[in-house]
């Protein structure tokens, strides 16, 4: 068995080396696949804070993913059309700058997570799952009925957003941006898990009564964690919209929420690098099995079932041979 820190280093090294090797072989498509892995892993890191640390099974994180994407799409669209978002009471213009898109995506997804979390966290179990799903579907159908930004057809972003000093149209440079944000999110998640806040959040998951006895309210701890989780997932959505140069309501669908949960489960719930391993395995299988049959999700479903039944620690738990209490 491989010790988990060593395994984490190997996973991160593989994610970095694959696009560098693809660059040497002049295979830009493989670089794009690695970028997709990094972005989906970033979304999974966000969910893992709520699910892995806080035990909150959210089936609505696609809402934050999509809102982050629309933050990028709407701002870029107005910039390219030379049409301000609003003129009264003050002027707000569009922009193609990533350093503006990201804070807007973080704020928008964070505000949505605050509103959704404030209501849904008053419940638990299946009720929490269904309420987060219901809110996500409400936002999904709102996007479908929003003709100003494409409605059901989505919104094209004709020019990729800009980052100072980099050519974002170059696949390897765009990958570097996504990889750097993923590394920052992983570092932040690691610090959060070891902090007093993170320990309190895990305490709320394991024993609410004991946490209350220390004078800490589980509701506020969970709400803050849910907002942080939504913000990180929203940032991933902004990157995903830029990668595809397209944003649509499909980013907010319940299927997208399910995929993000799958990344976390495959890699290992509560494992720091679980979302990275899960996203990498998912994209690898999609690329290889998807080319053989359109029903590739059938064997993938059996794999997911096997992980849930026989490898409760996910891929990382299986390879490291370490168990983690739920």
């Amino acid at each position: 068995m491989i010790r988990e820190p060593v395994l984490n280093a190997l996973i991160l090294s593989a994610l970095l080396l694959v696009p560098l090797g693809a660059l040497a072989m002049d295979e830009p498509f493989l670089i794009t696949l690695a970028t997709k892995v990094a972005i989906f892993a970033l979304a999974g890191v966000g969910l893992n804070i709520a699910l892995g640390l806080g035990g909150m099974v959210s089936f609505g994180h696609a809402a934050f993913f999509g809102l982050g994407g629309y933050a990028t799409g709407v701002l870029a669209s107005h910039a390219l059309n030379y049409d301000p978002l609003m003129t009264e009471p003050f002027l707000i213009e569009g922009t193609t700058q990533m350093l503006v898109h990201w804070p807007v995506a973080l704020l928008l997804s964070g505000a949505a997570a605050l509103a959704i979390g404030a209501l849904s966290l008053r419940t638990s179990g299946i009720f929490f799952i269904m309420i987060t799903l219901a809110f996500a579907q409400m936002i999904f159908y709102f996007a479908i009925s929003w003709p100003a930004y494409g409605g059901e057809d989505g919104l094209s972003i004709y020019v990729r957003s800009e980052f100072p000093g980099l050519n974002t149209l170059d696949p390897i440079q765009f990958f570097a941006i996504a990889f750097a944000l993923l590394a920052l999110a992983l570092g932040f998640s690691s610090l959060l898990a070891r902090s007093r806040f993170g320990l309190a959040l895990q305490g709320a998951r394991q024993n609410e009564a004991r946490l209350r006895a220390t004078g800490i309210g589980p509701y506020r701890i969970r709400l803050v964690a849910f907002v942080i989780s939504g913000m990180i997932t929203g940032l991933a959505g902004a990157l995903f919209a830029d990668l595809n140069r397209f944003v649509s309501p499909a980013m907010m669908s319940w299927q997208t929420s399910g995929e993000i949960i799958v990344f976390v489960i495959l890699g290992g719930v509560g494992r720091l690098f679980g979302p990275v391993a899960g996203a990498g395995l998912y994209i690898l299988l999609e690329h290889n099995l998807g080319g053989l049959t359109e029903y590739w999700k059938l064997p993938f479903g059996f794999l997911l079932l096997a992980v849930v039944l026989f490898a409760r620690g996910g891929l990382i738990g299986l390879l490291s041979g370490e168990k983690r209490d739920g």
Side-chain angles (χ1 to χ4, degrees), residues 45-47 49-50 56 58 61 64 105-121 128 188 192 197 201 219-235:
V45 168
L47 176 61
I49 291 174
M56 294 174 278
S58 168
H61 263 54
F64 314 132
L106 288 167
L107 290 172
L108 183 61
S109 55
L114 179 61
I116 293 173
L119 294 173
S120 59
L121 284 170
F128 175 81
F188 173 77
L192 185 70
F197 174 85
L201 179 61
Y219 177 80
R220 291 185 179 181
I221 292 289
R222 285 176 172 155
L223 181 58
V224 172
F226 193 79
V227 171
I228 294 172
S229 173
M231 292 174 73
I232 294 175
T233 303
L235 178 60

Side-chain angles (χ1 to χ4, degrees), residues 4-205:
E4 188 168 334
V6 176
L7 184 59
N8 292 344
L10 290 174
I11 292 172
L12 198 63
S13 298
L15 180 58
L16 182 60
L17 291 175
V18 166
L20 292 177
L23 178 64
M25 296 184 294
D26 193 24
E27 293 284 352
F29 177 70
L30 293 179
I31 300 175
T32 300
L33 278 183
T35 305
K36 190 175 180 181
V37 170
I39 292 172
F40 279 159
L42 180 61
V45 168
L47 176 61
N48 203 29
I49 291 174
L51 176 58
L53 296 182
M56 294 174 278
V57 185
S58 168
F59 215 80
H61 263 54
F64 314 132
F65 190 71
L67 286 171
Y70 269 93
T72 290
V74 170
L75 286 170
S77 173
H78 280 272
L80 295 172
N81 294 330
Y82 301 100
D83 178 29
L85 273 78
M86 59 182 295
T87 56
E88 298 292 341
F90 46 82
L91 178 66
I92 300 180
E93 296 183 323
T95 178
T96 57
Q97 294 295 324
M98 287 183 178
L99 294 181
V100 177
H101 293 174
W102 296 347
V104 173
L106 288 167
L107 290 172
L108 183 61
S109 55
L114 179 61
I116 293 173
L119 294 173
S120 59
L121 284 170
R122 298 184 184 280
T123 64
S124 61
I126 188 64
F127 302 104
F128 175 81
I129 296 172
M130 295 309 297
I131 290 176
T132 55
L133 172 61
F135 274 114
Q137 288 299 101
M138 288 169 58
I139 297 174
F140 167 75
Y141 285 113
F142 174 78
I144 285 180
S145 61
W146 201 10
Y149 299 108
E152 189 172 5
D153 296 328
L155 179 66
S156 295
I157 306 172
Y158 296 103
V159 176
R160 182 165 287 167
S161 303
E162 304 167 12
F163 189 90
L166 294 178
N167 175 15
T168 56
L169 288 174
D170 183 3
I172 194 65
Q173 295 189 48
F174 190 82
F175 167 79
I177 294 172
F179 183 84
L181 288 177
L182 173 61
L184 288 172
L186 287 168
F188 173 77
S189 181
S190 177
L191 291 173
L192 185 70
R194 297 197 302 268
S195 69
R196 294 175 62 185
F197 174 85
L199 294 175
L201 179 61
Q202 294 174 68
R205 184 192 78 226

Side-chain angles (χ1 to χ4, degrees), residues 230-278:
M231 292 174 73
I232 294 175
T233 303
L235 178 60
L239 282 173
F240 191 67
D242 248 335
L243 175 67
N244 296 320
R245 281 183 277 179
F246 179 75
V247 60
S248 76
M251 289 179 65
M252 302 176 178
S253 69
W254 64 268
Q255 292 96 330
T256 302
S257 288
E259 287 181 354
I260 299 173
I261 292 176
V262 164
F263 303 152
V264 178
I265 293 174
L266 273 180
V269 176
R271 307 277 178 169
L272 179 62
F273 276 72
V276 185

